[in-house]
Amino acid sequence: MYGIFKTAVAALVLALGLGTALAQDYPNRSIVMVSPFAPGSPTDAAGRIIGAKMSELLKQPVVVENKPGANAIIGTEYLSRAAPDGYTIMFGTSTSHSSNPSLFKVLRYDPIKDFTPIGRNVDITYLLLVNPDLPVKTVRELVAYAKANPDKISHAVPNSPAQVVGESMRVMADIKIVGIPYRDGTQAFNDLLGGQLQMYVAAVPSALGLVQAGKARALAVTSVERLDKLPEVPPLADTFPGIDIVSWGGLFGPAGMPKAITDRLFAAQMGALADPDVRAKLVASGFTISPSKSSADFANYVEYQIGVWSKLVKQAGIEPQ
């Protein structure tokens, strides 16, 4: 027994030594930032803005690599299996780490145990969009139209915020609307603009330009506060009290990543978020900059958000798949 104990201690010391050595030399090559959503998605956009500045600060390329699909599960599983050496990280969101545990009966990763939280960076609000040809200009008119035309409104479901908002409306208003699964938001936007979809709860960074150009009509914002860029758009909570859905984004590494490397990445992200040019680009794109105080603070936030989204999913009457 003592021999086994000595072997275990020796292995731990060796691992710690290797971790320290790796951290001292880190980074000496390119870092891959996995985006579990498609190119052009808010996650992809924010990752590229933040990653470009991190590249300057770390003096090594930070390359965004998209691995979309299955409600962010494909990319998130990929990260969970990566080596914890700091050369593969991920731009995670509330979909990958907060809502998926409640939306799926079987999830092949643990949102807490399988990852090293690095730091939160942005919040993402959503807009309730309709095709401009739909004869509604308010949420109440949309509900009345849905009641008069059961199953005639299809809405896109490429991520958990869109699913939770759509299902919450269906349950609370007792209307019959049809959720259509999408691999990513790009095709959902195409179908909304083409009239195949009538409704889409889309992230502000992706939807803002279309709304401003008059190609899509925004009926509500999913946060309880109005947006500075669209002050005329009311909160969805004005019609559906209690709905307050804002997604978050942050960086993760695989479980077991050395603290020195985590701290290095956290400092680089904070440096990026403090840069005036980065902040201007993120705000102009519709993001809210929301950095965590530390990696430990972000870890606590992630765990707290699992409970928040569990409640939202249950309130929406969504059964795990």
Short mmCIF file of all heavy atoms in Angstrom, two decimals, residues 177-216:
data_model
loop_
_atom_site.label_atom_id
_atom_site.label_comp_id
_atom_site.label_asym_id
_atom_site.label_seq_id
_atom_site.Cartn_x
_atom_site.Cartn_y
_atom_site.Cartn_z
N ILE A 177 -47.36 27.17 -32.05
CA ILE A 177 -46.32 27.56 -32.98
C ILE A 177 -45.36 26.39 -33.11
O ILE A 177 -45.25 25.56 -32.19
CB ILE A 177 -45.58 28.84 -32.54
CG1 ILE A 177 -44.99 28.68 -31.13
CG2 ILE A 177 -46.53 30.04 -32.58
CD1 ILE A 177 -44.22 29.89 -30.65
N VAL A 178 -44.65 26.31 -34.21
CA VAL A 178 -43.84 25.14 -34.52
C VAL A 178 -42.36 25.49 -34.50
O VAL A 178 -41.90 26.35 -35.25
CB VAL A 178 -44.21 24.57 -35.91
CG1 VAL A 178 -43.40 23.30 -36.19
CG2 VAL A 178 -45.71 24.28 -35.99
N GLY A 179 -41.61 24.82 -33.63
CA GLY A 179 -40.17 25.02 -33.57
C GLY A 179 -39.46 24.15 -34.59
O GLY A 179 -39.70 22.95 -34.66
N ILE A 180 -38.59 24.76 -35.39
CA ILE A 180 -37.84 24.04 -36.42
C ILE A 180 -36.35 24.02 -36.06
O ILE A 180 -35.72 25.07 -35.97
CB ILE A 180 -38.01 24.72 -37.80
CG1 ILE A 180 -39.50 24.93 -38.13
CG2 ILE A 180 -37.31 23.91 -38.88
CD1 ILE A 180 -40.28 23.65 -38.28
N PRO A 181 -35.77 22.83 -35.83
CA PRO A 181 -34.34 22.77 -35.49
C PRO A 181 -33.47 23.23 -36.65
O PRO A 181 -33.75 22.91 -37.81
CB PRO A 181 -34.12 21.28 -35.19
CG PRO A 181 -35.48 20.71 -34.94
CD PRO A 181 -36.41 21.51 -35.80
N TYR A 182 -32.41 23.97 -36.33
CA TYR A 182 -31.43 24.41 -37.32
C TYR A 182 -30.03 24.11 -36.80
O TYR A 182 -29.78 24.24 -35.59
CB TYR A 182 -31.55 25.91 -37.59
CG TYR A 182 -32.64 26.27 -38.57
CD1 TYR A 182 -33.96 26.35 -38.17
CD2 TYR A 182 -32.35 26.52 -39.91
CE1 TYR A 182 -34.98 26.68 -39.06
CE2 TYR A 182 -33.35 26.85 -40.82
CZ TYR A 182 -34.66 26.92 -40.39
OH TYR A 182 -35.66 27.24 -41.28
N ARG A 183 -29.15 23.76 -37.71
CA ARG A 183 -27.75 23.52 -37.33
C ARG A 183 -27.06 24.80 -36.89
O ARG A 183 -26.25 24.80 -35.97
CB ARG A 183 -26.99 22.90 -38.52
CG ARG A 183 -25.52 22.61 -38.25
CD ARG A 183 -24.86 22.02 -39.48
NE ARG A 183 -23.43 21.89 -39.33
CZ ARG A 183 -22.82 20.86 -38.76
NH1 ARG A 183 -23.53 19.86 -38.28
NH2 ARG A 183 -21.50 20.83 -38.66
N ASP A 184 -27.40 25.91 -37.54
CA ASP A 184 -26.82 27.20 -37.17
C ASP A 184 -27.77 28.31 -37.59
O ASP A 184 -28.80 28.07 -38.24
CB ASP A 184 -25.44 27.39 -37.81
CG ASP A 184 -25.48 27.36 -39.32
OD1 ASP A 184 -26.08 28.29 -39.92
OD2 ASP A 184 -24.93 26.42 -39.92
N GLY A 185 -27.43 29.54 -37.23
CA GLY A 185 -28.31 30.66 -37.48
C GLY A 185 -28.33 31.18 -38.90
O GLY A 185 -29.27 31.87 -39.30
N THR A 186 -27.30 30.86 -39.69
CA THR A 186 -27.21 31.41 -41.05
C THR A 186 -28.40 30.99 -41.89
O THR A 186 -29.06 31.83 -42.53
CB THR A 186 -25.91 30.95 -41.72
OG1 THR A 186 -24.79 31.37 -40.93
CG2 THR A 186 -25.80 31.55 -43.12
N GLN A 187 -28.70 29.70 -41.91
CA GLN A 187 -29.83 29.22 -42.70
C GLN A 187 -31.15 29.72 -42.12
O GLN A 187 -32.11 29.97 -42.85
CB GLN A 187 -29.83 27.69 -42.77
CG GLN A 187 -30.87 27.10 -43.73
CD GLN A 187 -30.72 27.62 -45.14
OE1 GLN A 187 -29.62 27.61 -45.69
NE2 GLN A 187 -31.79 28.07 -45.75
N ALA A 188 -31.19 29.87 -40.79
CA ALA A 188 -32.41 30.38 -40.15
C ALA A 188 -32.70 31.80 -40.65
O ALA A 188 -33.85 32.13 -40.96
CB ALA A 188 -32.26 30.36 -38.64
N PHE A 189 -31.68 32.64 -40.72
CA PHE A 189 -31.87 33.99 -41.24
C PHE A 189 -32.34 33.95 -42.70
O PHE A 189 -33.24 34.70 -43.10
CB PHE A 189 -30.57 34.79 -41.14
CG PHE A 189 -30.40 35.48 -39.82
CD1 PHE A 189 -29.33 35.16 -39.00
CD2 PHE A 189 -31.28 36.46 -39.41
CE1 PHE A 189 -29.16 35.80 -37.78
CE2 PHE A 189 -31.12 37.10 -38.19
CZ PHE A 189 -30.05 36.77 -37.39
N ASN A 190 -31.71 33.08 -43.50
CA ASN A 190 -32.10 32.97 -44.91
C ASN A 190 -33.57 32.60 -45.05
O ASN A 190 -34.30 33.15 -45.88
CB ASN A 190 -31.23 31.93 -45.62
CG ASN A 190 -29.79 32.39 -45.79
OD1 ASN A 190 -29.51 33.58 -45.74
ND2 ASN A 190 -28.89 31.44 -45.97
N ASP A 191 -34.00 31.65 -44.21
CA ASP A 191 -35.40 31.20 -44.29
C ASP A 191 -36.37 32.25 -43.75
O ASP A 191 -37.50 32.38 -44.23
CB ASP A 191 -35.57 29.89 -43.53
CG ASP A 191 -34.94 28.71 -44.25
OD1 ASP A 191 -34.51 28.88 -45.41
OD2 ASP A 191 -34.89 27.61 -43.68
N LEU A 192 -35.93 33.01 -42.74
CA LEU A 192 -36.78 34.09 -42.23
C LEU A 192 -36.97 35.16 -43.31
O LEU A 192 -38.09 35.59 -43.58
CB LEU A 192 -36.15 34.73 -40.98
CG LEU A 192 -36.95 35.88 -40.38
CD1 LEU A 192 -38.20 35.37 -39.68
CD2 LEU A 192 -36.09 36.69 -39.40
N LEU A 193 -35.88 35.56 -43.94
CA LEU A 193 -35.96 36.58 -44.98
C LEU A 193 -36.70 36.08 -46.21
O LEU A 193 -37.35 36.85 -46.92
CB LEU A 193 -34.55 37.05 -45.36
CG LEU A 193 -33.70 37.64 -44.23
CD1 LEU A 193 -32.37 38.13 -44.76
CD2 LEU A 193 -34.44 38.76 -43.52
N GLY A 194 -36.62 34.77 -46.46
CA GLY A 194 -37.29 34.20 -47.62
C GLY A 194 -38.74 33.83 -47.38
O GLY A 194 -39.45 33.44 -48.32
N GLY A 195 -39.19 33.95 -46.12
CA GLY A 195 -40.59 33.68 -45.82
C GLY A 195 -40.90 32.25 -45.42
O GLY A 195 -42.05 31.94 -45.11
N GLN A 196 -39.89 31.36 -45.42
CA GLN A 196 -40.14 29.98 -44.97
C GLN A 196 -40.34 29.92 -43.45
O GLN A 196 -41.00 29.03 -42.94
CB GLN A 196 -38.98 29.05 -45.37
CG GLN A 196 -38.88 28.76 -46.86
CD GLN A 196 -38.18 29.87 -47.62
OE1 GLN A 196 -37.49 30.70 -47.04
NE2 GLN A 196 -38.38 29.91 -48.93
N LEU A 197 -39.74 30.88 -42.74
CA LEU A 197 -39.93 31.04 -41.31
C LEU A 197 -40.67 32.33 -41.05
O LEU A 197 -40.51 33.31 -41.79
CB LEU A 197 -38.58 31.13 -40.58
CG LEU A 197 -37.81 29.87 -40.23
CD1 LEU A 197 -36.49 30.26 -39.58
CD2 LEU A 197 -38.60 28.96 -39.32
N GLN A 198 -41.50 32.34 -40.01
CA GLN A 198 -42.21 33.57 -39.66
C GLN A 198 -41.57 34.27 -38.46
O GLN A 198 -41.74 35.47 -38.27
CB GLN A 198 -43.67 33.26 -39.34
CG GLN A 198 -44.50 32.85 -40.54
CD GLN A 198 -44.16 31.45 -41.03
OE1 GLN A 198 -44.06 30.50 -40.24
NE2 GLN A 198 -43.95 31.32 -42.33
N MET A 199 -40.80 33.51 -37.64
CA MET A 199 -40.30 34.08 -36.39
C MET A 199 -38.93 33.48 -36.07
O MET A 199 -38.66 32.32 -36.35
CB MET A 199 -41.30 33.76 -35.26
CG MET A 199 -40.91 34.18 -33.87
SD MET A 199 -42.23 33.74 -32.69
CE MET A 199 -41.28 32.87 -31.45
N TYR A 200 -38.07 34.31 -35.50
CA TYR A 200 -36.74 33.85 -35.12
C TYR A 200 -36.25 34.69 -33.94
O TYR A 200 -36.23 35.92 -34.03
CB TYR A 200 -35.78 33.98 -36.31
CG TYR A 200 -34.36 33.54 -36.07
CD1 TYR A 200 -34.01 32.68 -35.03
CD2 TYR A 200 -33.34 34.00 -36.90
CE1 TYR A 200 -32.69 32.29 -34.82
CE2 TYR A 200 -32.02 33.61 -36.71
CZ TYR A 200 -31.71 32.77 -35.67
OH TYR A 200 -30.41 32.38 -35.47
N VAL A 201 -35.88 34.05 -32.86
CA VAL A 201 -35.29 34.73 -31.71
C VAL A 201 -33.78 34.69 -31.93
O VAL A 201 -33.13 33.68 -31.70
CB VAL A 201 -35.68 34.06 -30.38
CG1 VAL A 201 -35.01 34.76 -29.20
CG2 VAL A 201 -37.20 34.08 -30.21
N ALA A 202 -33.23 35.81 -32.40
CA ALA A 202 -31.84 35.84 -32.86
C ALA A 202 -30.99 36.77 -31.99
O ALA A 202 -31.48 37.76 -31.44
CB ALA A 202 -31.79 36.31 -34.32
N ALA A 203 -29.71 36.44 -31.89
CA ALA A 203 -28.77 37.25 -31.11
C ALA A 203 -28.62 38.64 -31.73
O ALA A 203 -28.55 38.78 -32.96
CB ALA A 203 -27.42 36.55 -31.04
N VAL A 204 -28.57 39.65 -30.89
CA VAL A 204 -28.44 41.03 -31.36
C VAL A 204 -27.26 41.22 -32.31
O VAL A 204 -27.41 41.88 -33.35
CB VAL A 204 -28.35 42.00 -30.16
CG1 VAL A 204 -27.98 43.41 -30.63
CG2 VAL A 204 -29.67 42.05 -29.40
N PRO A 205 -26.06 40.69 -32.01
CA PRO A 205 -24.94 40.91 -32.94
C PRO A 205 -25.20 40.42 -34.35
O PRO A 205 -24.67 40.99 -35.31
CB PRO A 205 -23.79 40.12 -32.29
CG PRO A 205 -24.11 40.13 -30.84
CD PRO A 205 -25.61 39.99 -30.78
N SER A 206 -26.02 39.36 -34.49
CA SER A 206 -26.34 38.85 -35.82
C SER A 206 -27.52 39.57 -36.45
O SER A 206 -27.61 39.68 -37.67
CB SER A 206 -26.65 37.35 -35.74
OG SER A 206 -25.55 36.62 -35.27
N ALA A 207 -28.44 40.05 -35.62
CA ALA A 207 -29.71 40.57 -36.12
C ALA A 207 -29.73 42.08 -36.32
O ALA A 207 -30.54 42.59 -37.10
CB ALA A 207 -30.83 40.19 -35.15
N LEU A 208 -28.85 42.79 -35.65
CA LEU A 208 -28.92 44.25 -35.62
C LEU A 208 -28.92 44.87 -37.01
O LEU A 208 -29.76 45.72 -37.32
CB LEU A 208 -27.74 44.80 -34.79
CG LEU A 208 -27.76 46.29 -34.50
CD1 LEU A 208 -29.00 46.68 -33.70
CD2 LEU A 208 -26.49 46.68 -33.73
N GLY A 209 -28.00 44.46 -37.87
CA GLY A 209 -27.91 45.04 -39.21
C GLY A 209 -29.16 44.80 -40.03
O GLY A 209 -29.62 45.70 -40.76
N LEU A 210 -29.74 43.61 -39.92
CA LEU A 210 -30.95 43.28 -40.68
C LEU A 210 -32.14 44.12 -40.22
O LEU A 210 -32.95 44.58 -41.03
CB LEU A 210 -31.27 41.79 -40.53
CG LEU A 210 -30.27 40.83 -41.17
CD1 LEU A 210 -30.62 39.40 -40.82
CD2 LEU A 210 -30.25 41.00 -42.68
N VAL A 211 -32.23 44.33 -38.90
CA VAL A 211 -33.32 45.15 -38.37
C VAL A 211 -33.15 46.60 -38.81
O VAL A 211 -34.11 47.24 -39.26
CB VAL A 211 -33.35 45.06 -36.83
CG1 VAL A 211 -34.38 46.04 -36.25
CG2 VAL A 211 -33.70 43.64 -36.39
N GLN A 212 -31.96 47.11 -38.71
CA GLN A 212 -31.70 48.50 -39.09
C GLN A 212 -31.93 48.73 -40.58
O GLN A 212 -32.30 49.83 -41.00
CB GLN A 212 -30.29 48.90 -38.68
CG GLN A 212 -30.10 48.97 -37.16
CD GLN A 212 -28.67 49.22 -36.75
OE1 GLN A 212 -27.74 48.85 -37.46
NE2 GLN A 212 -28.47 49.84 -35.60
N ALA A 213 -31.72 47.67 -41.39
CA ALA A 213 -31.93 47.78 -42.83
C ALA A 213 -33.38 47.52 -43.23
O ALA A 213 -33.73 47.63 -44.41
CB ALA A 213 -31.01 46.79 -43.56
N GLY A 214 -34.23 47.18 -42.25
CA GLY A 214 -35.63 46.92 -42.53
C GLY A 214 -35.92 45.55 -43.13
O GLY A 214 -37.04 45.30 -43.59
N LYS A 215 -34.93 44.66 -43.11
CA LYS A 215 -35.13 43.32 -43.69
C LYS A 215 -35.83 42.37 -42.73
O LYS A 215 -36.38 41.35 -43.14
CB LYS A 215 -33.79 42.74 -44.13
CG LYS A 215 -33.14 43.51 -45.27
CD LYS A 215 -31.83 42.87 -45.69
CE LYS A 215 -31.20 43.64 -46.85
NZ LYS A 215 -29.90 43.02 -47.27
N ALA A 216 -35.76 42.68 -41.44
CA ALA A 216 -36.47 41.90 -40.42
C ALA A 216 -37.08 42.88 -39.43
O ALA A 216 -36.53 43.97 -39.21
CB ALA A 216 -35.51 40.95 -39.71
#
